[in-house]
Amino acid sequence: SEAGGPRATAPGQQLRALFYVLPPGESSFRTVEEVPDYVEKSIPFFIAFIGLEFAVSWVQKRKLSGRINDGISCLSLGILSRLPDVLFRSVDLISYIYVWNNYRLFELPWDSPWTWYLTLLGVDFAYYWFHRISHEVNILWAAHQVHHSSEDYNLFTALRQSVLQKYTSWIFNLPMALFIPPSVFAVHLQFNLLYQFWIHTEVITNLGPLEWILNTPSHHRVHHGRNPYCIDKNYGGTFIIWDRIFGTFEAEDAKVVYGLTHPVNSFDPIMLQLRPLAHIWNTFWATPGFCNKLSVIFKGPGWGPGKPRLGLPEEIPVITGKEVPFNPSVPAYLNCYAVVHFAVIMDLYTELLGTVTMLSQGTILLRIGFIILSLTSFGLLMENRQDTKPGILEIIRCLVFVGVYKLGYLRSQFSSLCYAYEV
C-alpha cells in the first residue's frame, strides 16, 4: 500500500487506467482511503482524447465527430450525475462497506493478484447483469436511457450519465462484499467505468482478435444503435464474453443509427432525466388492472397489455437511413456564447470539487443550485424554442451569478479571471 499511494498519481498510470492496464502491483491498496480517485485524475485525459478524436475524425472524414449542442448536453449530464457525490459518499461504497463489515463470510487477501483478477471478472459480471436488467425493466430504463439519448456517438457520449442510475446499480455488487475487500472493489469499480470511456467512438473500426474477448468500439456502437438488430445487445463493460455466453451478442453489420427508438429531441439535462419517469407515471395511471400497472413498472419499456415482457420486435421503428438528428438552427454567436459560459461553469465546478471539504453546507448547496440552473439554461438556449423563453432565464441566471459572485459564494480557480467573469 505504501508503494501504491505516491505512484498512483503518476500521469502514465492515470493514462493506463483508462485502458484497464494497471496491474495488481500498481493498484492494490490496504484501505479504501488509500484508493486514488482515478476518475477525477483522468479528466485531463478525457479532454485530450476528445480533442484527438476531433482531429482524427477530420482527417478521416473531413468532418468533426460531434456538435456543440450535443457536446454541451453530454457534458452537462456528466456534471449533473457527479453533483450528488459532492454531498454524499458513493452509495456503491457505502452499501458495499456495510455488508463487508457486518456479513462477510471470509476475507480474501487485499494484496493477492488472484483477488485482483477475481474482482476484475466479478465487477464486470455484475455490471453485465445490471446493464442488461436496466434495459429490460422499465423503471431502471427510465434512468439508464439518459446515456442512450444522444443521436451522436463520440467520446462526449461516454460522459452522458444518469443521476439516478447509481441508486440501483449498487445492489448487483453486494455479493462480492461477502469476501472481496472494499479497497480492491473500489479500484475495479472505477477501472470498469474508465474503460468504457474510449469505446464511445467511431474513429476506431476493428481490433482483430481482441473483438472476441473485450468490449470494443465496434461492439459498443451496436449497443447504442436503434436499428432493430441492435436493440438489447452487447451489455458487457470491459469484456464481451458475457454477451457471447448469455446470448446477447451481436456483431456490427449495417450502418448504426444512434439514439433512442423514440428520440427525446431536447438538450435540457433536467428534462432528459425526469421525462421518462413522468411517462411511466402517466402510463401507470392510464393502464387498467393492478397487475398491468405493476407490469408498466417492472416489465420492458416496450411492454403493453397482451404483449410479451420485452414488447414486440415488429413495433421497433424501421430505420430508413434518412434519419436526421435533432439539431435546431442556432446563430453562431449563440454557440460561441454557450461555449464560453459553459467553460466558466466547468471552472466553477472544478473549483467546487477541489474545495468542498472547506465549504459550509449552505455554500455547497448554493453552488450546486447555480450549476444546475446554468446547465438547464444552456440546454434551453441550444434548443432555441421561443415557448420556453430561454433568453429570460439566461438573463436571470447572469444576474444571479453577478450577485453570488460579488458576495463571495462562487469562486474561480483563477483569480486573474475574476473581473472577466463579472464582465
Side-chain angles (χ1 to χ4, degrees):
S1 62
E2 292 177 357
R7 287 187 297 148
T9 59
Q13 287 185 310
Q14 296 167 28
L15 176 61
R16 286 187 287 123
L18 282 171
F19 300 94
Y20 220 131
V21 287
L22 283 184
E26 292 182 274
S27 54
S28 294
F29 305 90
R30 184 184 297 275
T31 65
V32 171
E33 288 71 26
E34 294 176 80
V35 177
D37 189 338
Y38 289 105
V39 175
E40 185 178 332
K41 293 178 185 298
S42 297
I43 290 175
F45 293 100
F46 293 163
I47 297 170
F49 276 111
I50 288 171
L52 180 61
E53 182 187 38
F54 271 84
V56 173
S57 179
W58 181 259
V59 171
Q60 288 179 342
K61 305 175 183 179
R62 286 294 183 268
K63 70 174 186 178
L64 298 177
S65 57
R67 297 170 290 149
I68 290 175
N69 47 24
D70 187 78
I72 288 178
S73 177
C74 290
L75 291 172
S76 296
L77 289 162
I79 291 174
L80 204 61
S81 71
R82 299 278 289 179
L83 287 178
D85 295 337
V86 175
L87 292 170
F88 315 106
R89 193 174 187 181
S90 167
V91 67
D92 291 287
L93 284 178
I94 290 175
S95 57
Y96 193 96
I97 291 171
Y98 177 81
V99 173
W100 169 262
N101 288 337
N102 294 279
Y103 301 105
R104 70 176 178 267
L105 302 177
F106 56 90
E107 183 174 338
L108 293 178
W110 67 269
D111 54 352
S112 168
W114 293 109
T115 304
W116 195 96
Y117 295 129
L118 177 63
T119 314
L120 160 67
L121 292 173
V123 167
D124 202 58
F125 183 71
Y127 178 80
Y128 168 85
W129 283 108
F130 160 69
H131 195 184
R132 179 171 177 174
I133 291 173
S134 292
H135 280 251
E136 296 183 359
V137 174
N138 202 15
I139 191 67
L140 299 184
W141 171 247
H144 182 63
Q145 59 84 36
V146 172
H147 181 61
H148 286 263
S149 58
S150 173
E151 295 177 274
D152 291 347
Y153 189 76
N154 50 44
L155 294 177
F156 280 123
T157 311
L159 306 177
R160 191 182 190 95
Q161 298 295 328
S162 166
V163 172
L164 303 173
Q165 182 172 293
K166 66 183 72 177
Y167 298 106
T168 54
S169 61
W170 59 273
I171 300 171
F172 294 80
N173 295 312
L174 293 187
M176 289 181 286
L178 299 176
F179 53 91
I180 292 175
S183 61
V184 186
F185 168 74
V187 167
H188 289 276
L189 187 66
Q190 294 186 76
F191 283 178
N192 191 273
L193 176 65
L194 286 172
Y195 178 89
Q196 294 178 61
F197 171 74
W198 72 273
I199 62 177
H200 290 82
T201 186
E202 291 187 296
V203 302
I204 298 174
T205 53
N206 189 285
L207 295 179
L210 294 178
E211 302 279 344
W212 285 93
I213 301 170
L214 297 176
N215 193 13
T216 64
S218 177
H219 297 329
H220 206 58
R221 284 194 289 270
V222 171
H223 179 71
H224 273 260
R226 53 181 160 127
N227 312 56
Y229 86 91
C230 298
I231 302 298
D232 296 338
K233 301 296 182 182
N234 300 358
Y235 295 113
T238 300
F239 297 108
I240 203 66
I241 55 175
W242 316 119
D243 291 283
R244 295 185 184 277
I245 291 171
F246 297 111
T248 52
F249 173 75
E250 189 70 44
E252 188 175 19
D253 187 10
K255 179 175 173 55
V256 178
V257 177
Y258 304 107
L260 303 170
T261 55
H262 299 89
V264 182
N265 293 342
S266 177
F267 300 121
D268 177 1
I270 301 300
M271 196 281 289
L272 287 167
Q273 300 279 354
L274 298 181
R275 193 165 80 171
L277 292 172
H279 175 71
I280 290 177
W281 176 263
N282 294 332
T283 306
F284 177 87
W285 289 109
T287 303
F290 180 72
C291 291
N292 283 338
K293 288 183 185 296
L294 291 180
S295 295
V296 168
I297 298 173
F298 296 110
K299 290 188 177 180
W303 178 85
K307 297 179 184 178
R309 181 175 67 89
L310 299 181
L312 297 169
E314 56 266 29
E315 291 185 351
I316 298 171
V318 176
I319 297 300
T320 64
K322 299 178 181 179
E323 288 75 17
V324 178
F326 178 62
N327 192 28
S329 178
V330 175
Y333 73 84
L334 194 56
N335 279 326
C336 293
Y337 177 92
V339 169
V340 169
H341 280 259
F342 186 83
V344 173
I345 295 302
M346 282 291 293
D347 173 28
L348 300 178
Y349 168 69
T350 307
E351 202 274 340
L352 171 62
L353 294 181
T355 61
V356 65
T357 56
M358 298 179 285
L359 300 174
S360 69
Q361 198 79 348
T363 301
I364 293 172
L365 290 172
L366 181 62
R367 293 189 182 190
I368 288 175
F370 178 73
I371 289 172
I372 293 173
L373 172 64
S374 299
L375 300 180
T376 301
S377 183
F378 300 153
L380 295 175
L381 283 174
M382 294 293 92
E383 291 178 20
N384 201 23
R385 289 176 175 161
Q386 295 309 308
D387 58 324
T388 58
K389 307 295 184 185
I392 295 175
L393 179 62
E394 180 60 13
I395 290 171
I396 294 172
R397 186 192 75 86
C398 289
L399 292 174
V400 170
F401 172 81
V402 171
V404 295
Y405 200 78
K406 293 292 283 186
L407 292 172
Y409 291 108
L410 288 175
R411 283 282 184 270
S412 168
Q413 299 178 89
F414 313 103
S415 56
S416 59
L417 292 178
C418 290
Y419 291 115
Y421 281 3
E422 291 179 27
V423 170

